[in-house]
Amino acid sequence: MHNRNKNLLLYLCCLFSLSILLCSCGRPDDTQTITAEENQNRLYIYAVNGQWSVLNTEGEFIIPPQPNELQLICDRYTNEPRYIHMTKPIAGEKIPYTIGDSDKVYHYYENNRFLYDIYDARGNLLYENLENTYCNTMGDFLILTKEGEALITIVNRKTGEETTTDADWVSFCGNLFVFNWEDEPCARVYDQDMQFLKEIPGYVFHYSREQDGKRYLVMIGENDRMALFDNDFNLLLPAEYAYFEQINGDFVLARNANHQSVVMNLDTGEIVLPPEKNRDIYYCDGEMVLYVLYDEAGQRTFQLVNLKDESKTWTAPNIQTIRLIRNYEQEDTTLGFYIEAANSEAMIVNTQGEVILDLPAQSWVEDVSENVIAIKHNRMENRPVKLYTRNGKEIPLEKNYYQIRTLWHQGPLPYLAAYYETPQGANHIDLLDENGRILIENLWENITLENDDILPFFCDGYRVLGRRGFSQGMMDIQGNWIYKESVFDSFANDY
């Protein structure tokens, strides 16, 4: 009787698993399909086991699974997906070679070629077999750049008109196009309707950053020196510094190669801190400044100084590492400093010089975000990571995690990927919020998206790509499947 019940139970389990398998293959039914966002133009790259595809928010294939790599081409200003770029590698000549005196012959392919197809957001083929060509888009314009040739094709998708330019590359500055010539440096700026605005001789565009509705541009001039311009392309700081960093609102920090720094208030144009010999500046907010002083032997001493009365909050020689802890939602705001001494003792200090957290030797800051700091208290041992608020209060966690990372997509997100090992030795991930609460648990880490080799597990606030149970696919942030497919092979591949 006992064996009969056991066999019956096994039969029912197999029948139930088969029903799961049949229901899980392909697109889920309507009860399982979750629309991730009201914007139906959103598209997702789905890449699993060497097969690439494009899905919409309803889990429907725009481009079905195939072996060629796919990339979404988004509007450089609005970030809306506009085109799909397919890369088709074609192997060149097969060249034999041997290693040392080995009789074994290996091969490699020389002069590989790449062909590209471009589709619109509905999956309609626009261009086929373009050789070594990549594309960008903004507004009504599709920009096709052929590698190795100073030839850029500008396609007005609204009118169908095509024009070419011999510029070396095109940059995007907010809603402006900047075409750059390198041999005789020059940048020509066009608005979003491709109407000419301004020519900047002697410089090419490097990058821009917006702060409080204002845009500041870094341009590269002679001898690869950088210069700072305002939104109207007026020169603010000349090309005599090698590095610019905007810090805390209207303050910009410029460095040169001689350990000299200058801080400028962009709002007033005033030089707050002029350059001094052997003095570098890491941070300045108009009130507090973090100096790095170099002696004749090149030894460094850090000082956090109050500019109002020149009082030193602390002085620290023999610092091995110092890292600014940034507000990731407002990149130009520094929250504090992670400071590690030569003996590996470390501390977290706020911008007023107050010690938030003392850390023992061999501690390791896994990650920082606007609200939390993830710390491993001994990097040499397999100790769990602990999570703290910015004021040093420990956040309780439900599990022991060996790694915690902030998730990114076009910038940081208020979610954490927490890694742990199961008793069976498998590595899994939980999705946490910044209060340490589990949003989605028991996700596998072997799924990638958009060829992202930094995070094996990816989230942009609308969907999570992962594997759970006998299924893999995409979920919304609550763990509901947008799209899933079965990976059932046997009971052994669950966990």
Side-chain angles (χ1 to χ4, degrees):
M1 185 69 178
H2 175 74
N3 290 336
R4 185 181 303 168
N5 289 339
K6 184 176 180 181
N7 292 336
L8 178 61
L9 179 60
L10 179 61
Y11 171 77
L12 291 175
C13 287
C14 292
L15 186 62
F16 177 68
S17 299
L18 181 60
S19 66
I20 292 177
L21 175 62
L22 293 174
C23 292
S24 299
C25 292
R27 180 188 168 192
D29 58 38
D30 293 339
T31 61
Q32 296 168 319
T33 302
I34 306 296
T35 300
E37 189 191 32
E38 292 182 359
N39 181 5
Q40 295 302 308
N41 291 327
R42 181 169 288 278
L43 300 176
Y44 305 130
I45 295 288
Y46 183 60
V48 176
N49 298 327
Q51 295 291 307
W52 294 73
S53 58
V54 178
L55 294 160
N56 62 17
T57 55
E58 296 181 349
E60 299 170 332
F61 284 116
I62 302 299
I63 294 183
Q66 47 82 49
N68 295 315
E69 181 179 334
L70 298 171
Q71 179 184 1
L72 294 180
I73 306 301
C74 297
D75 189 296
R76 297 298 295 265
Y77 186 60
T78 66
N79 204 37
E80 176 189 3
R82 300 290 302 277
Y83 303 99
I84 302 162
H85 193 266
M86 179 185 291
T87 302
K88 301 187 296 186
I90 299 177
E93 183 181 359
K94 196 172 184 180
I95 307 296
Y97 70 99
T98 60
I99 298 178
D101 298 329
S102 173
D103 294 332
K104 188 172 182 180
V105 178
Y106 301 87
H107 294 86
Y108 71 95
Y109 289 95
E110 188 177 51
N111 300 322
N112 280 7
R113 294 171 57 221
F114 293 90
L115 300 180
Y116 302 95
D117 295 346
I118 300 175
Y119 298 80
D120 65 16
R122 295 182 177 86
N124 300 312
L125 181 63
L126 303 178
Y127 296 90
E128 187 175 18
N129 295 334
L130 298 176
E131 186 168 359
N132 294 338
T133 300
Y134 60 92
C135 62
N136 283 288
T137 187
M138 188 164 68
D140 294 325
F141 296 91
L142 178 63
I143 311 295
L144 303 175
T145 303
K146 190 167 184 178
E147 291 180 333
E149 298 183 19
L151 181 64
I152 298 175
T153 302
I154 306 163
V155 183
N156 187 331
R157 291 283 296 148
K158 193 172 184 179
T159 65
E161 180 183 4
E162 294 189 9
T163 57
T164 60
T165 175
D166 62 354
D168 291 298
W169 77 89
V170 60
S171 304
F172 300 87
C173 177
N175 60 346
L176 303 177
F177 298 88
V178 185
F179 291 89
N180 300 278
W181 285 261
E182 193 168 27
D183 290 340
E184 297 183 6
C186 179
R188 291 176 60 88
V189 184
Y190 295 78
D191 67 14
Q192 59 188 341
D193 296 319
M194 207 58 76
Q195 299 299 310
F196 174 72
L197 295 179
K198 191 177 183 75
E199 181 174 303
I200 309 173
Y203 293 96
V204 294
F205 181 83
H206 187 39
Y207 67 89
S208 69
R209 177 175 287 175
E210 292 193 17
Q211 177 71 27
D212 298 329
K214 302 175 184 177
R215 184 185 299 128
Y216 300 98
L217 303 93
V218 175
M219 309 287 288
I220 300 179
E222 186 179 2
N223 296 324
D224 294 328
R225 294 293 185 180
M226 298 183 188
L228 190 70
F229 291 76
D230 65 13
N231 191 43
D232 296 320
F233 300 95
N234 298 310
L235 183 64
L236 296 176
L237 284 172
E240 57 188 70
Y241 295 94
Y243 174 78
F244 286 100
E245 180 181 3
Q246 196 170 330
I247 51 175
N248 288 58
D250 286 323
F251 293 97
V252 65
L253 169 67
R255 291 193 179 108
N256 64 20
N258 299 317
H259 301 311
Q260 291 183 336
S261 307
V262 60
V263 174
M264 179 182 186
N265 187 323
L266 293 174
D267 191 43
T268 64
E270 174 190 6
I271 299 296
V272 179
L273 292 169
E276 288 187 10
K277 185 179 180 180
N278 293 328
R279 187 190 73 179
D280 202 354
I281 301 168
Y282 267 49
Y283 167 82
C284 177
D285 61 9
E287 178 181 343
M288 306 295 292
V289 58
L290 179 64
Y291 292 119
V292 185
L293 306 177
Y294 293 82
D295 62 19
E296 293 181 357
Q299 296 296 315
R300 301 180 303 169
T301 299
F302 289 81
Q303 291 183 349
L304 188 64
V305 178
N306 189 319
L307 290 176
K308 290 183 178 180
D309 56 13
E310 293 296 321
S311 62
K312 297 178 178 61
T313 304
W314 53 260
T315 299
N318 301 320
I319 296 298
Q320 178 173 304
T321 302
I322 187 163
R323 185 195 306 175
L324 273 61
I325 300 175
R326 298 299 185 92
N327 180 329
Y328 285 166
E329 291 185 356
Q330 300 174 357
E331 290 186 5
D332 302 322
T333 302
T334 298
L335 303 171
F337 317 104
Y338 164 73
I339 300 168
E340 184 177 335
N343 63 358
S344 296
E345 291 184 354
M347 58 183 174
I348 305 293
V349 178
N350 66 17
T351 57
Q352 299 301 308
E354 300 165 339
V355 177
I356 298 172
L357 203 60
D358 268 316
L359 303 173
Q362 301 298 327
S363 294
W364 182 257
V365 174
E366 286 280 333
D367 205 356
V368 295
S369 71
E370 179 187 4
N371 298 314
V372 297
I373 306 169
I375 298 173
K376 183 173 285 189
H377 275 258
N378 193 325
R379 75 181 82 175
M380 306 304 292
E381 297 180 11
N382 189 24
R383 294 190 181 181
V385 176
K386 293 188 177 182
L387 203 61
Y388 295 87
T389 63
R390 286 199 294 114
N391 59 11
K393 182 180 179 181
E394 185 174 352
I395 298 172
L397 299 173
E398 297 180 33
K399 300 178 183 178
N400 288 336
Y401 299 106
Y402 66 83
Q403 187 178 47
I404 296 178
R405 294 290 187 191
T406 301
L407 290 175
W408 286 70
H409 179 68
Q410 309 293 332
L413 300 164
Y415 307 111
L416 305 169
Y419 298 73
Y420 67 99
E421 186 174 321
T422 68
Q424 293 76 26
N427 293 316
H428 291 174
I429 298 173
D430 289 346
L431 178 68
L432 311 180
D433 65 15
E434 289 189 318
N435 294 314
R437 293 177 299 203
I438 297 176
L439 301 176
I440 308 175
E441 63 179 347
N442 298 337
L443 291 164
W444 287 23
E445 65 168 344
N446 60 343
I447 306 298
T448 59
L449 180 70
E450 296 175 336
N451 201 26
D452 188 339
D453 57 1
I454 299 174
L455 288 174
F457 163 72
F458 202 90
C459 166
D460 70 358
Y462 298 102
R463 52 88 175 90
V464 175
L465 190 70
R467 179 170 176 174
R468 185 171 64 187
F470 293 117
S471 298
Q472 67 185 15
M474 289 187 295
M475 292 169 276
D476 63 17
I477 206 64
Q478 285 77 36
N480 303 306
W481 289 106
I482 298 171
Y483 169 84
K484 71 174 179 177
E485 57 190 27
S486 174
V487 290
F488 178 81
D489 180 51
S490 70
F491 288 113
N493 71 347
D494 195 13
Y495 51 92

